[in-house]
């Protein structure tokens, strides 16, 4: 039986406000911490103004905050139900003959709606902003001693002129462009030829195009070139896949990315897993509401609310760990990607339903 429209809208508004309130709070906290870190890194970079750091942090934060969306739904649902219980609104609803299954309907609807918006709108926007943030970082921090976190990118290749080892401080998401590049070239006998330092390097079919390159050869004065070419046997699609994380590909572009990757003869498991995980996200939000309901429907006058809330946090953390383990198994190919993506959401929903059945119906 469906809940009445007036009461349903009231409960739905309460759920939506608390969930969005929790998410905005976490978003602001992540933004502040990231902004402070960027200001620290900007000390040795020219052109890194406070306004630009604020913009860069705003571009970086949505991707990080996307990972806490399920917890925002969990804690927001718990807060909403506890407020309704504390103000005895749930008592009045039960006295009017409304069961727990009925006043949970608005929360479940809000979870499904938020899941759809998170997948169809928020994810593409955050992915595009992440790509934009890597471009800005490459321009600002490429030549800074604080540009990277110590995790440089390395490539080894063979070309017409011999071998080359390429080190880069960062890669621009979704492209074959590297920033903060250093190249060590060797001849066909393996003897060192030159060291090349460049601001950027873009891989094309059969060659690297280096920008603002400085070439250092033994016993010769340094040479500077606006553009410098190096032969390469690397495939652009392979390099793009290696340095493009699935999280930086918008949801609507994932099918095309999967097809393009497979046509190139590469493994598209990571992108398939991300696609399935995004499809399962609305059901994961539903599971979080069910978990919140199992620990938040106790009346305040009965006491023990704190222990139940702590149990809800523990249940949410357990579900998070299971999700991470399943995604790891899916990424490694040990479990099919649909199973890895849907297992936590489906099992969490079923266990929450089972717990509510036991609490409400015995």
């Amino acid at each position: 039986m469906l809940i009445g429209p007036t009461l349903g809208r009231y409960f739905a508004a309460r759920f939506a406000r608390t969930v969005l309130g929790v998410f905005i709070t976490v978003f602001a906290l992540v933004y502040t911490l990231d902004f402070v870190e960027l200001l620290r890194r900007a000390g040795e970079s020219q052109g890194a103004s406070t306004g630009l750091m604020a913009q860069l942090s705003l571009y970086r934060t949505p991707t990080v905050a996307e990972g806490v969306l399920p917890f925002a739904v969990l804690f927001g649902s718990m807060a909403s139900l506890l407020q309704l219980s504390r103000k005895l609104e749930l008592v009045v609803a039960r006295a009017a003959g409304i069961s727990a299954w009925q006043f949970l309907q608005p929360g479940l609807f809000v979870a499904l709606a938020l899941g759809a918006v998170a997948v169809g709108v928020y994810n593409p926007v955050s992915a595009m902003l992440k790509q934009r943030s890597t471009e800005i970082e490459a321009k600002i921090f490429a030549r800074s001693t604080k540009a990277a976190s110590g995790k440089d990118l390395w490539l080894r290749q063979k070309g017409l002129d011999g071998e080359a080892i390429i080190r880069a401080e960062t890669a621009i998401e979704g492209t074959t462009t590297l920033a903060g590049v250093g190249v060590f070239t060797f001849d066909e006998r393996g003897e060192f030829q030159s060291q090349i330092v460049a601001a950027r390097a873009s891989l094309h079919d059969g060659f690297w195009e280096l920008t603002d390159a400085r070439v250092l050869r033994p016993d010769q004065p340094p040479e500077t070139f606006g553009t410098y070419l190096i032969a390469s046997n690397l495939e652009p699609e392979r390099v793009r896949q290696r340095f493009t994380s699935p999280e930086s590909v918008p949801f609507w572009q994932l099918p095309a990315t999967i097809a393009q990757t497979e046509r190139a003869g590469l493994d598209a498991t990571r992108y398939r897993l991300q696609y399935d995980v995004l499809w399962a996200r609305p059901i994961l939000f539903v599971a979080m509401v069910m978990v919140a309901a199992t620990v938040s429907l106790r009346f305040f006058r009965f006491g023990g609310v704190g222990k139940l809330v702590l149990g809800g946090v523990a249940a949410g953390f357990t579900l998070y760990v299971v999700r991470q383990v399943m995604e790891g198994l899916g990424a490694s190919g040990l479990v099919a990607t649909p199973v890895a993506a849907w297992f936590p959401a489906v099992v969490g929903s079923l266990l929450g339903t089972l717990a509510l059945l036991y609490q409400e119906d015995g």
Side-chain angles (χ1 to χ4, degrees), residues 32-327:
T32 302
L33 295 176
D34 187 67
F35 178 55
V36 172
E37 173 63 18
L38 286 176
L39 286 179
R40 184 187 66 83
R41 291 173 56 190
E44 296 185 2
S45 301
Q46 297 180 354
S49 63
T50 302
L52 187 57
M53 292 301 97
Q55 180 184 8
L56 177 59
S57 182
L58 185 62
Y59 287 170
R60 287 157 47 105
T61 302
T63 302
V64 180
E66 187 176 7
V68 303
L69 272 170
F71 291 99
V73 175
L74 173 64
F75 296 138
S77 299
M78 290 173 58
S80 178
L81 290 172
L82 289 173
Q83 289 176 8
L84 292 172
S85 178
R86 183 175 61 85
K87 296 181 180 180
L88 302 181
E89 291 173 282
L90 293 185
V91 176
V92 175
R94 288 179 183 272
I98 299 175
S99 67
W101 302 106
Q102 288 176 287
F103 56 69
L104 279 180
Q105 291 172 8
L108 297 176
F109 174 79
V110 169
L112 286 173
L114 289 177
V117 172
V119 173
V121 179
Y122 184 89
N123 174 264
V125 172
S126 67
M128 289 187 292
L129 291 178
K130 184 181 180 183
Q131 293 180 9
R132 178 59 179 157
S133 71
T134 58
E135 296 178 6
I136 297 177
E137 284 187 272
K139 293 178 181 178
I140 298 175
F141 297 120
R143 294 187 180 275
S144 170
T145 58
K146 296 185 179 180
S149 59
K151 297 181 180 179
D152 291 339
L153 310 175
W154 293 88
L155 288 171
R156 184 173 181 174
Q157 66 162 35
K158 288 186 177 180
L160 298 176
D161 304 323
E163 294 189 1
I165 298 176
I166 302 172
R167 180 197 62 81
E169 293 176 351
T170 186
I172 299 178
E173 299 277 0
T175 69
T176 58
T177 300
L178 307 177
V181 180
V183 183
F184 302 90
T185 63
F186 304 85
D187 60 21
E188 297 178 352
R189 294 175 296 177
E191 297 181 359
F192 175 76
Q193 277 189 322
S194 64
Q195 177 185 357
I196 307 169
V197 180
R200 288 196 177 198
S202 298
L203 179 60
H204 303 278
D205 290 329
F207 66 94
W208 285 95
E209 180 182 0
L210 279 64
T211 304
D212 296 334
R214 182 178 176 85
V215 182
L216 307 173
R217 295 186 178 91
D219 302 324
Q220 294 185 23
E223 296 180 274
T224 302
F225 301 89
T227 301
Y228 192 83
L229 304 182
I230 299 177
S232 174
N233 65 336
L234 298 177
E235 299 177 6
E237 185 58 37
R238 189 177 296 275
V239 173
R240 182 182 294 108
Q241 190 215 30
R242 177 175 178 179
F243 296 131
T244 300
S245 63
E247 292 77 13
S248 65
V249 181
F251 172 74
W252 302 111
Q253 296 180 13
L254 277 171
T257 301
I258 293 171
Q260 185 179 9
T261 303
E262 291 179 340
R263 282 197 302 268
L266 304 177
D267 184 16
T269 301
R270 296 187 306 152
Y271 299 114
R272 285 191 175 278
L273 178 61
Q274 176 69 3
Y275 190 59
D276 291 330
V277 165
L278 290 176
W279 269 112
R281 183 160 291 173
I283 305 302
L284 180 64
F285 286 5
V286 168
M288 290 299 183
V289 173
M290 300 300 294
V291 170
T294 61
V295 299
S296 305
L297 295 181
R298 185 183 180 91
F299 297 137
F300 266 72
R301 62 186 180 89
F302 290 163
V305 175
K307 293 182 179 179
L308 289 175
V309 171
L310 185 60
V313 174
F317 178 75
T318 301
L319 190 59
Y320 170 79
V321 171
V322 172
R323 183 163 65 98
Q324 292 297 111
V325 171
M326 292 302 297
E327 289 182 9

